[in-house]
Amino acid sequence: MRVFITRRLHDFAIKELSKRYRVTIHHGEIPIPKKTLIEKIKDTDGLICFPYDKIDNDVLANAKKLRVISTYSVGYDHIDLQQAKKKNIKIGYTPEVLTNATADLTIGLIIDLMRRITEGDRLIRSGDWRQIFGAFDYVGQDMNGKTLGVFGMGRIGQAVAMRANAFGMNVSYYSRTRLAKSQEKKLKIKHVSFLNLLKNSDIITIHAPQNKQTEHLFNMKNFKKMKKSALIINTARGKIINQKDLISALKLKIISGAALDVFEKEPLCTSPLTKMQNVVLAPHIGSSSAQTRAEMARITMQNLVLGLQGKKMIYSVHL
Ligand code: DGY
């Protein structure tokens, strides 16, 4: 059987796959150009892909032999699920393993934004740090006592809530499915309406998948409902925020700041966001710790092997 991988992966995973299959790895342009992917997919039985590879209808229409797609990500919004289902292609993904890494980064971004760490770093590097310890210099905000509004209370939302509790924050959440009362009690979280989340949160952090319901949900209309002092954090998917509206909301001081690990178009090269002091930017590194990325490689590899063997994958997308 043939396995195609759209970019370099850990050696141990490639070694394991090579014992069983004829493995080809794409080493050229990233993300792989669609034309190349279409060409390669024609005689591929198993595909390993990454969040930026669009596995859409055009690609799947050319997948004559494809039985398994194993994505190196928790998100699978880049795969046309309906077409995959029609063609009886199984999909593996990597949830759970990246929960802690993503929650850690989220808290890091919150602290960074509230205490203006990166802003201070930029100030020193630019040679503009002139005065020390003034009563009003570079003042940020305490985390203790602030209300953190979590949008989406899945695994990552819950891990963020636990960490936020330790910082003395009050955690509210909005999720399509409400958690059991016992879980809410354990996590010290309060379920609120979406409107309430917008109106009363000091910080909103997004932990929901991108889909028709969430795309551009955070737009000007909703920024206007937030506190003027509010901050927004996104480590989920860029398209959940309308980036153009966010830039206007920050410029017009409708909200106070943003920390973003994901963007509508990645990589983010030129954007007014890069010029704003009240914005912290990260290059989509939510799951990017050495341990987590290696574990993701192991699961991605095992999902593919199990799927091609016709066995139950470690994590499969319910189609
Ligand atoms: C994922 O796995 O979907 C993340 O976006 C990667 O950091």
Side-chain angles (χ1 to χ4, degrees):
M1 276 195 270
R2 288 174 190 267
V3 165
F4 183 67
I5 309 179
T6 61
R7 69 186 293 183
R8 231 186 108 222
L9 197 61
H10 297 64
D11 288 344
F12 72 85
I14 304 293
K15 219 169 129 192
E16 270 313 306
L17 292 169
S18 302
K19 284 184 199 161
R20 299 174 167 86
Y21 313 112
R22 285 179 65 181
V23 178
T24 310
I25 307 169
H26 170 71
H27 287 290
E29 198 182 325
I30 301 293
I32 184 170
K34 191 165 180 175
K35 222 174 122 212
T36 316
L37 182 56
I38 286 178
E39 207 40 57
K40 295 287 178 194
I41 206 83
K42 287 180 182 160
D43 64 352
T44 291
D45 300 277
L47 172 72
I48 289 187
C49 64
F50 289 74
Y52 305 128
D53 301 322
K54 293 263 163 294
I55 315 298
D56 58 15
N57 193 15
D58 301 338
V59 173
L60 291 177
N62 284 280
K64 306 283 179 242
K65 296 164 65 191
L66 193 66
R67 289 168 51 199
V68 181
I69 299 171
S70 179
T71 184
Y72 184 79
S73 58
V74 63
Y76 43 82
D77 47 279
H78 53 298
I79 304 172
D80 186 329
L81 298 186
Q82 266 183 351
Q83 285 309 318
K85 187 176 176 182
K86 265 193 206 158
K87 299 193 76 145
N88 209 13
I89 297 168
K90 288 181 239 165
I91 300 171
Y93 71 135
T94 64
E96 284 191 9
V97 59
L98 46 67
T99 300
N100 285 326
T102 310
D104 288 350
L105 184 81
T106 304
I107 296 294
L109 291 176
I110 295 173
I111 299 176
D112 190 331
L113 196 55
M114 294 185 82
R115 297 302 306 274
R116 304 171 65 177
I117 301 172
T118 302
E119 193 185 331
D121 181 87
R122 286 190 294 250
L123 178 87
I124 295 175
R125 284 173 199 265
S126 67
D128 288 336
W129 188 28
R130 298 276 177 260
Q131 37 187 340
I132 55 162
F133 211 83
F136 308 102
D137 291 341
Y138 322 122
V139 293
Q141 297 292 324
D142 280 334
M143 290 170 77
N144 183 47
K146 294 289 185 313
T147 296
L148 178 68
V150 181
F151 178 75
M153 198 40 94
R155 294 184 187 95
I156 299 173
Q158 292 178 36
V160 169
M162 287 194 300
R163 285 158 174 75
N165 283 331
F167 283 93
M169 303 182 94
N170 305 309
V171 184
S172 297
Y173 79 101
Y174 172 77
S175 216
R176 245 183 345 171
T177 332
R178 188 172 171 177
L179 263 53
K181 288 247 162 65
S182 56
Q183 250 178 310
E184 288 182 351
K185 200 170 159 203
K186 193 171 132 211
L187 291 165
K188 298 194 199 128
I189 56 176
K190 191 173 138 208
H191 186 263
V192 294
S193 68
F194 183 52
L195 181 64
N196 188 310
L197 192 93
L198 292 172
K199 280 171 103 172
N200 298 322
S201 301
D202 296 303
I203 304 111
I204 289 186
T205 182
I206 302 174
H207 300 289
Q210 180 199 320
N211 52 37
K212 282 201 185 96
Q213 286 77 43
T214 59
E215 204 167 303
H216 282 184
L217 182 62
F218 288 86
N219 52 27
M220 187 53 91
K221 190 172 133 232
N222 284 331
F223 290 136
K224 283 185 175 160
K225 293 176 188 155
M226 290 166 64
K227 292 184 182 181
K228 273 195 173 9
S229 58
L231 308 172
I232 188 158
I233 317 293
N234 191 4
T235 56
R237 281 291 179 266
K239 285 193 179 140
I240 299 176
I241 292 182
N242 181 324
Q243 205 164 290
K244 210 165 137 247
D245 284 3
L246 174 66
I247 292 165
S248 305
L250 290 166
K251 275 190 186 155
L252 299 169
K253 299 193 187 315
I254 290 166
I255 62 167
S256 278
L260 310 168
D261 181 46
V262 287
F263 305 88
E264 285 207 44
K265 192 166 178 302
E266 296 175 10
L268 180 81
C269 296
T270 46
S271 163
L273 290 168
T274 62
K275 305 273 185 293
M276 295 178 170
Q277 291 301 348
N278 51 347
V279 171
V280 175
L281 304 171
H284 201 146
I285 51 169
S287 62
S288 195
S289 72
Q291 299 76 12
T292 297
R293 286 284 165 96
E295 195 52 11
M296 285 169 71
R298 186 187 66 76
I299 294 169
T300 304
M301 177 267 290
Q302 287 187 341
N303 275 342
L304 191 82
V305 173
L306 290 166
L308 287 176
Q309 288 174 340
K311 295 185 182 154
K312 193 174 178 310
M313 288 186 251
I314 307 177
Y315 299 105
S316 58
V317 177
H318 186 73
L319 293 175

